Amino acid sequence: MTLCELLGYLDRESGYPVLDGDCDETVKKAMAGSHKDPLAGQIVAAIAASAATPAADAAVTRAQATTSLGALRLKAMRDDVTGHDLKRMERTVHAIDGAFNDEALAARGS
């Protein structure tokens, strides 16, 4: 799956906006720290950094995407972080799984 495909899926399925412009723009803004939503920007930047190159057409695996969020997930679990941010991280991780599950099912004709 490409980074752009994953980000589009997350934008549609996580329940929270991820994109800030088109996919290329979103990645560039996230990497520069100028994404309109700081948490979404951190999520996008972490996933993009896990790819071979932080480009919209870069391939990304389930393991790369979920592992890249490790530090953000731990931060979201701290007592001083809002429940909203914890829920958002949880939904993002579930949406990543959903994206790769859907891709696997489509490849199997299901």
Side-chain angles (χ1 to χ4, degrees), residues 25-87:
E25 241 182 317
T26 298
V27 172
K28 288 175 185 168
K29 287 178 180 178
M31 298 304 286
S34 61
H35 192 287
K36 66 182 177 184
D37 179 316
L39 181 55
Q42 291 173 5
I43 290 168
V44 171
I47 295 171
S50 75
T53 60
D57 62 350
V60 64
T61 66
R62 180 191 309 244
Q64 287 171 311
T66 55
T67 301
S68 72
L69 298 180
L72 289 174
R73 292 174 76 186
L74 287 174
K75 183 179 175 184
M77 288 183 222
R78 291 189 338 216
D79 289 340
D80 62 336
V81 176
T82 68
H84 179 265
D85 285 352
L86 176 57
K87 187 177 202 178

Side-chain angles (χ1 to χ4, degrees), residues 2 10-11 19-20 35 43 45 60-61 65 70 87-88 95 104 106 110:
T2 67
L10 295 178
D11 192 67
L19 297 175
D20 185 1
H35 192 287
I43 290 168
V60 64
T61 66
K87 187 177 202 178
R88 195 167 168 188
S110 300

